[in-house]
DNA sequence: TGCTCAAAGTTGTCTAGTCCAATTCGAGAC
DNA sequence: GTCTCGAATTGGACTAGACAACTTTGAGCA
């Protein structure tokens, strides 16, 4: 085995990354839906083990470049979908972009605030709160799992209303006269738990874009605390920013 | 080993996830810097293979819960750092939060615009552009790798100025009278290439938060196109949004 | 022609192990 | 006491293979 002289201390490329680059070259010009060679074929073609091939494939699946179908094969993926990141309601946000969206209410129960939720909603620990879990779909494909927490004392009878109207922001405005005027959004990477993976139709451990929204009314009172687990392999978020303050 | 009866059809939990939950329980109450059991110890304690243990560990490292040090051990990680996501300059952004920041200029060269860059900068393919690559550090620890693309014709002599002053926004304002007033930000997940991994001090394939910024001047002319690869294991981004338009 | 079902092919999960690379630490030399 | 160096320990990369779960296909049958 020939070793490159004066190897950079930097960037020692693992073998799986060579496989990954090979696959990227291969799929660069292929249309979505094209079948790529099977794992065992790649194994012999590239003189490596299946574990190494699978590591490269998994990374490309996580990046939204490939899709694996159990028992069938591995295919070139559709390009990522660009999704607006605004503080507007989910339903309108999407229909404006030409997508058909829907929501499945997974859970809507009363529970007691733990330390984190109590602090964010301005309640004491153990106070009664709603826990709402919804699945967001775009063109009938799961996009995100969303959990919301709200004060039960502040919004009595919320759950039956929500089951009727389905739009949470609509219910808050019409039934309680509450509108969020400010919000703190947090963004981080995460990985899918088995439950999230199952709901989103991805593998456990898949990359997730985790968005948090902590919204407040005109008096600065917290309204809700939401966390949304978005498929990291299918969505790119976009926000338009205007520079009021700029240096 | 006891197996739970009547397994749910949904959410079939892989064995590595059991290991992961075991580790999460273990580290929940431990302070950052605490040593966790070695991979080989976990292997025998949990009756599994080292591959399975390593998968659980890798996921926890990617989530910023653990840190691995080659030859030394695996440790409980520091909590993530919350970082403001604003359109202001990097240097001020941070010192306001009490962090000491610095930038290392990795590359600053002239090159020719490919299709993507040309479209974004409003140039023809092959037009002369600057390629600027910088490493952003917080308290002397790498935070992000940042690449910028600008029109060379529009900002003649930019590179020597940049080497003197180091703040790109400062140079653009003082030397060229240009200020970004609007920008389109994109956010997505990615995984670290060997080069990025090396610069950021993480493993190849680690989760990355990839931010893009496409900024425009007061006339709507594109100024620059920047992409920043942030360590996904160490940073949570936060943005305050005011609802001018709200429904 | 249309249906059934078994076989083949593909990805998913997990195991057991080898060898390498970096760190740590103590015995021994000075 | 201090330093050096090698052994032990730890994480990193990779291999070869077993078996399970799911899909596809086509031979055989009605």
């Amino acid at each position: 085995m020939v070793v490159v002289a004066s190897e950079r201390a930097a960037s020692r490329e693992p073998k799986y990354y060579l496989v990954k680059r090979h696959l990227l070259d291969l799929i660069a010009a292929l249309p979505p839906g094209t079948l790529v060679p099977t794992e065992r074929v790649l194994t012999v073609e590239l003189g490596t083990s299946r574990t190494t091939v699978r590591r490269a494939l998994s990374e490309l699946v996580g990046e939204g470049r490939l899709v694996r179908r159990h028992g069938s094969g591995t295919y070139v993926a559709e390009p990522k979908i660009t999704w607006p990141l605004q503080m507007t309601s989910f339903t309108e946000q999407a229909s404006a972009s030409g997508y058909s969206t829907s929501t499945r209410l997974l859970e809507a129960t009363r529970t007691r605030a733990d330390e984190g939720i109590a602090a964010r909603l301005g309640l004491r620990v153990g106070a009664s709160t709603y826990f709402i879990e919804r699945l967001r779909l775009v063109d009938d494909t799961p996009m995100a799992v969303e959990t919301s927490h709200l004060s039960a004392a502040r919004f009595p009878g919320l759950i039956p209303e929500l089951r009727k109207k389905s739009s949470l922001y609509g219910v808050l405005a019409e039934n309680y006269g509450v509108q969020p005027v400010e919000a703190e959004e947090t963004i981080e990477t995460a990985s899918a738990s088995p439950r999230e993976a199952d709901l989103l139709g991805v593998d456990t451990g898949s990359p997730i874009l985790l968005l948090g929204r902590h919204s407040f009314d005109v008096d600065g009172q917290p309204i809700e605390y939401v966390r949304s687990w978005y498929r990291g392999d299918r969505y790119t978020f976009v926000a338009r920013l205007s520079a009021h303050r700029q240096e």
Side-chain angles (χ1 to χ4, degrees), chain A residues 3-220:
Chain A
V3 175
V4 177
S6 87
E7 176 94 8
R8 273 279 173 287
S11 309
R12 296 182 39 263
E13 184 184 74
K15 190 168 182 179
Y16 93 86
Y17 211 83
L18 190 140
V19 178
K20 184 176 173 182
R21 286 195 290 106
H22 172 83
L23 284 161
L24 278 170
D25 281 353
L26 183 66
I27 68 181
L30 297 177
T34 307
L35 194 60
V36 302
T38 71
E39 297 177 354
R40 280 165 175 98
V41 168
L42 288 167
T43 295
V44 299
E45 272 184 4
L46 301 175
T48 183
S49 72
R50 201 172 147 221
T51 310
T52 300
V53 168
R54 278 187 64 80
R55 183 162 176 195
L57 289 170
S58 297
E59 223 169 271
L60 289 166
V61 168
E63 293 169 18
R65 303 299 303 268
L66 294 176
V67 173
R68 286 197 280 209
R69 284 210 285 265
H70 190 177
S72 172
T74 306
Y75 304 83
V76 177
E78 299 282 338
K80 283 188 178 183
I81 296 171
T82 299
W83 201 256
L85 177 67
Q86 307 286 359
M87 216 182 75
T88 68
S89 141
F90 170 77
T91 356
E92 318 172 19
Q93 202 175 77
S95 52
S97 315
Y99 293 104
S100 85
T101 65
S102 54
T103 301
R104 259 181 52 208
L105 188 60
L106 301 175
E107 216 179 316
T109 56
R110 281 177 85 121
T111 178
R112 307 224 157 262
D114 66 16
E115 202 170 342
I117 298 301
R120 285 178 221 264
L121 294 183
L123 305 171
R124 66 189 187 289
V125 174
S128 185
T129 57
Y130 297 123
F131 172 77
I132 297 162
E133 186 178 43
R134 289 176 290 185
L135 186 65
R136 304 294 203 176
L137 304 108
V138 175
D139 295 342
D140 292 320
T141 305
M143 173 177 72
V145 178
E146 196 167 293
T147 66
S148 305
H149 300 264
L150 301 93
S151 162
R154 185 165 180 199
F155 305 109
L158 179 74
I159 291 179
E161 289 298 327
L162 185 64
R163 290 192 191 278
K164 278 191 286 186
K165 294 195 197 145
S166 94
S167 163
L168 177 57
Y169 277 82
V171 171
L172 290 180
E174 291 170 30
N175 296 56
Y176 305 93
V178 169
Q179 282 202 349
V181 298
E182 198 169 18
E184 188 179 84
E185 296 250 15
T186 58
I187 302 166
E188 60 187 310
T189 60
S191 46
S193 72
R195 172 170 171 77
E196 291 150 11
D198 187 62
L199 290 168
L200 294 175
V202 298
D203 292 335
T204 299
S206 297
I208 292 287
L209 206 56
L210 174 56
L211 266 62
R213 192 172 64 246
H214 193 192
S215 58
F216 303 85
D217 67 14
V218 71
D219 301 320

